[in-house]
Amino acid sequence: MSSYPTRFRLSLTSGREHGRHGNPIGMLFTLLLTAILLAPAQAQDPSIQEPGEIPPGVAQEEGDYITLRFTETEGERMTIAQYIKLCQQVTGRNFTIDTDSNRVQTVLGQQVLLYGPKRLRKDQFYSFFQVLMKINGLVCVQQGAGDLAVIMITSAKLTGNTPNPEVAANAILVEPDLVQQFAHEPGTYIATVVKLKWADPTGISPTLGKLLGQSNNAVQALTNDRALMIQGYGPLVASAVRFVRYLDVEPDIERAIFKKVRLEEASAEEMAEQLSEIIEDIQLSANPQGPRVVNSRSSRSN
């Protein structure tokens, strides 16, 4: 018994029902339909990868660790788009792409080049992910927080060396004591405010900005709050905060020490005069043109 549905059985027999010289158009339609139904399904080439598909053998999990083996063969390497998908699978984070950036669209199709295997802890994968992304000119901009957070992949630069304003506009505000958690995230832009106890913010901000090689907006002095606002990518801000802690210490200033001494033989006035003369001689030997110290007794005698 034929397995075709009723409407197909009628079409297949319609030629005989019309006789030997039946409708030629109907017969042609019947033959084409029969060929389509009886043709075997074309096998899909397993070497063809859909966009975002992870090549086999790239990531091997070993407990808390993961080993990455990127092929070094030209034309077979993982693309940036596939690398983003791999990070999503390993970290569970949600990613999206800045579709308004032509630079991002161009880089997504580029291949990731990494010589040799890389073994690292799974909780370090996102930091390593940012390293390769930053090398290729891409950074991570977090939109939302907590369970609502989505990480947008965008370009670090607009054209040339012009920074992408979208990156700084979405900086993550971090407490200074927590900045070191971002020390290994080169693709995450953060900002923090560091309170100063001893150092002058107006004096330290330009020096720190030049030392870090950043723009004038990277380090800003908050004079009224006696603080510094530092913004930039994770490793840069972490280094800047450590440097500020190193500079913000109590200055080493010699202070005069006064001690009361009971005299046994000499009078207090005579001892004061002798000490004043000794101090005057020391000052004159150190600075002959400097002012002279005149003690009270000699001034009264004059």
Side-chain angles (χ1 to χ4, degrees), residues 6-24:
T6 303
R7 62 179 182 275
F8 292 149
R9 290 204 302 270
L10 292 175
S11 298
L12 289 173
T13 59
S14 60
R16 289 192 293 269
E17 292 174 355
H18 286 286
R20 186 170 181 177
H21 302 285
N23 188 348

Side-chain angles (χ1 to χ4, degrees), residues 17 37 77 79 87 157 184 211 238 240 260 275 291 301:
E17 292 174 355
L37 292 174
R77 301 170 189 158
T79 63
C87 184
K157 306 288 185 182
H184 303 290
L211 180 65
K260 184 183 294 186
L275 291 175
S301 62

Side-chain angles (χ1 to χ4, degrees), residues 55-105:
V58 169
Q60 296 179 354
E61 298 186 15
E62 308 168 12
D64 294 334
Y65 289 83
I66 185 171
T67 301
L68 303 176
R69 290 183 173 87
F70 295 167
T71 178
E72 301 171 10
T73 305
E74 181 69 28
E76 299 180 4
R77 301 170 189 158
M78 173 184 285
T79 63
I80 296 294
Q82 294 169 335
Y83 184 51
I84 296 173
K85 182 62 178 178
L86 175 62
C87 184
Q88 184 274 321
Q89 293 179 356
V90 174
T91 65
R93 299 171 185 259
N94 298 115
F95 293 89
T96 188
I97 305 298
D98 184 3
T99 55
D100 294 334
S101 173
N102 293 330
R103 265 193 169 187
V104 176
Q105 298 299 322

Side-chain angles (χ1 to χ4, degrees), residues 117-134:
K118 171 66 69 174
R119 186 174 186 268
L120 63 158
R121 293 181 60 88
K122 291 181 181 178
D123 56 8
Q124 296 175 328
F125 186 85
Y126 185 57
S127 297
F128 179 71
F129 168 78
Q130 294 184 56
V131 172
L132 291 184
M133 297 297 284
K134 191 72 177 292

Side-chain angles (χ1 to χ4, degrees), residues 204-215 219 236 239-240 242-244 246-247:
I204 196 176
S205 59
T207 304
L208 184 60
K210 292 179 181 178
L211 180 65
L212 299 176
Q214 297 296 304
S215 63
V219 182
L236 175 71
S239 299
R242 288 197 301 269
F243 189 75
V244 170
Y246 176 78
L247 293 178

Side-chain angles (χ1 to χ4, degrees), residues 31-300:
L31 292 175
L32 291 176
L33 184 60
T34 304
I36 294 174
L37 292 174
L38 297 179
Q42 183 178 2
Q44 184 178 1
D45 187 355
S47 64
I48 299 177
Q49 298 178 1
E50 296 295 330
E53 183 180 349
I54 309 301
V58 169
Q60 296 179 354
E61 298 186 15
E62 308 168 12
D64 294 334
Y65 289 83
I66 185 171
T67 301
L68 303 176
R69 290 183 173 87
F70 295 167
T71 178
E72 301 171 10
T73 305
E74 181 69 28
E76 299 180 4
R77 301 170 189 158
M78 173 184 285
T79 63
I80 296 294
Q82 294 169 335
Y83 184 51
I84 296 173
K85 182 62 178 178
L86 175 62
C87 184
Q88 184 274 321
Q89 293 179 356
V90 174
T91 65
R93 299 171 185 259
N94 298 115
F95 293 89
T96 188
I97 305 298
D98 184 3
T99 55
D100 294 334
S101 173
N102 293 330
R103 265 193 169 187
V104 176
Q105 298 299 322
T106 302
V107 175
L108 287 179
Q110 295 180 359
Q111 298 178 345
V112 180
L113 179 58
L114 180 67
Y115 292 109
K118 171 66 69 174
R119 186 174 186 268
L120 63 158
R121 293 181 60 88
K122 291 181 181 178
D123 56 8
Q124 296 175 328
F125 186 85
Y126 185 57
S127 297
F128 179 71
F129 168 78
Q130 294 184 56
V131 172
L132 291 184
M133 297 297 284
K134 191 72 177 292
I135 291 174
N136 288 275
L138 301 179
V139 293
C140 303
V141 175
Q142 179 173 313
Q143 303 283 357
D147 295 337
L148 302 179
V150 175
I151 299 170
M152 182 179 68
I153 303 298
T154 188
S155 176
K157 306 288 185 182
L158 288 180
T159 56
N161 292 324
T162 305
N164 186 351
E166 186 75 15
V167 178
N170 291 275
I172 302 174
L173 184 59
V174 182
E175 293 290 337
D177 294 337
L178 302 178
V179 164
Q180 297 305 318
Q181 297 180 6
F182 295 83
H184 303 290
E185 296 193 10
T188 302
Y189 200 92
I190 64 174
T192 189
V193 176
V194 182
K195 290 280 189 179
L196 301 178
K197 185 176 181 180
W198 305 101
D200 180 13
T202 57
I204 196 176
S205 59
T207 304
L208 184 60
K210 292 179 181 178
L211 180 65
L212 299 176
Q214 297 296 304
S215 63
N216 295 332
N217 295 329
V219 182
Q220 300 182 33
L222 307 178
T223 308
N224 295 335
D225 298 324
R226 196 179 182 85
L228 289 173
M229 187 177 74
I230 308 172
Q231 57 181 334
Y233 292 103
L236 175 71
V237 177
S239 299
V241 171
R242 288 197 301 269
F243 189 75
V244 170
R245 299 296 192 201
Y246 176 78
L247 293 178
D248 189 32
V249 294
E250 184 178 3
D252 187 13
I253 301 176
E254 294 185 2
R255 292 181 172 83
I257 300 176
F258 299 93
K259 185 177 181 180
K260 184 183 294 186
V261 178
R262 183 178 295 276
L263 302 176
E264 299 293 341
E265 302 295 339
S267 65
E269 289 186 354
E270 292 176 352
M271 184 62 68
E273 182 178 354
Q274 293 178 8
L275 291 175
S276 297
E277 292 176 355
I278 293 174
I279 294 175
E280 181 181 353
D281 293 339
I282 294 174
Q283 290 179 337
L284 287 175
S285 61
N287 184 14
Q289 304 299 326
R292 297 172 59 88
V293 177
V294 180
N295 59 59
S296 59
R297 182 171 181 179
S298 50
S299 63
R300 285 197 303 268

